[in-house]
Amino acid sequence: MPLFIGIDPGSRVTGYGIVETTGQGIRYRGSGVIRVGGADAVPVRLVAIKRGIDGVIAEHHPAAVAVEDVFISRNPRSALTLGQARGVILLAAAEAGIPVFEYAPREVKSSVTGIGSAHKSQVAAMVVRLLRPGREIGCEDESDALAVAFCHALRAGVPSGRLR
């Protein structure tokens, strides 16, 4: 059964979530975060993010990687740094020969909650309800990444009525 990795890029905390599609629907397979030192220079953080994503890909051998698009912020410097983090994530997937799919934040939120403007706490609650991970999801970066993976699994053809 295909595994999909969803990634919520961040320049300090990058979340990842892994789901599996089965004849029964979409199941939780794992999740976590890659934390990098906030005091480190951007190039050092980018190397750490790339190595972390390389490790997740090597461990799980996904059929696809789904990445959340950059949310346009009011701070151009933050948007640029986030774009650089996304770039190393896209590079890691491309080097591994894995197809990459990108989703707008509104599309991800809508796929999980039915509302494109849902608050992060609503997304987190629905991720737990839909995927039943069997453990507490540590932070919003992790639940957002699971939401991206869930969104891709739905777009890849898993019937929405069969969620587990």
Side-chain angles (χ1 to χ4, degrees), residues 61-110:
H61 308 287
V65 170
V67 182
E68 190 169 60
D69 278 337
V70 174
F71 175 77
I72 304 303
S73 80
R74 295 180 189 189
N75 183 336
R77 180 166 287 188
S78 295
L80 179 60
T81 303
L82 183 58
Q84 292 168 334
R86 284 184 82 254
V88 299
I89 292 164
L90 300 178
L91 174 64
E95 284 182 343
I98 299 168
V100 176
F101 298 84
E102 300 175 66
Y103 297 97
R106 289 185 66 82
E107 184 176 5
V108 172
K109 291 175 182 181
S110 181

Side-chain angles (χ1 to χ4, degrees), residues 127-153:
V127 161
V128 169
R129 185 172 180 195
L130 293 169
L131 294 175
R132 295 181 225 151
R135 68 173 188 82
E136 189 172 321
I137 300 300
C139 65
E140 288 178 346
D141 303 289
E142 191 175 349
S143 63
D144 286 353
L146 283 165
V148 174
F150 183 87
C151 175
H152 180 70

Side-chain angles (χ1 to χ4, degrees), residues 39-57:
D40 291 337
V42 171
V44 173
R45 288 188 269 158
L46 295 175
V47 168
I49 292 167
K50 168 87 167 45
R51 286 183 180 150
I53 295 298
D54 285 343
V56 172
I57 288 171

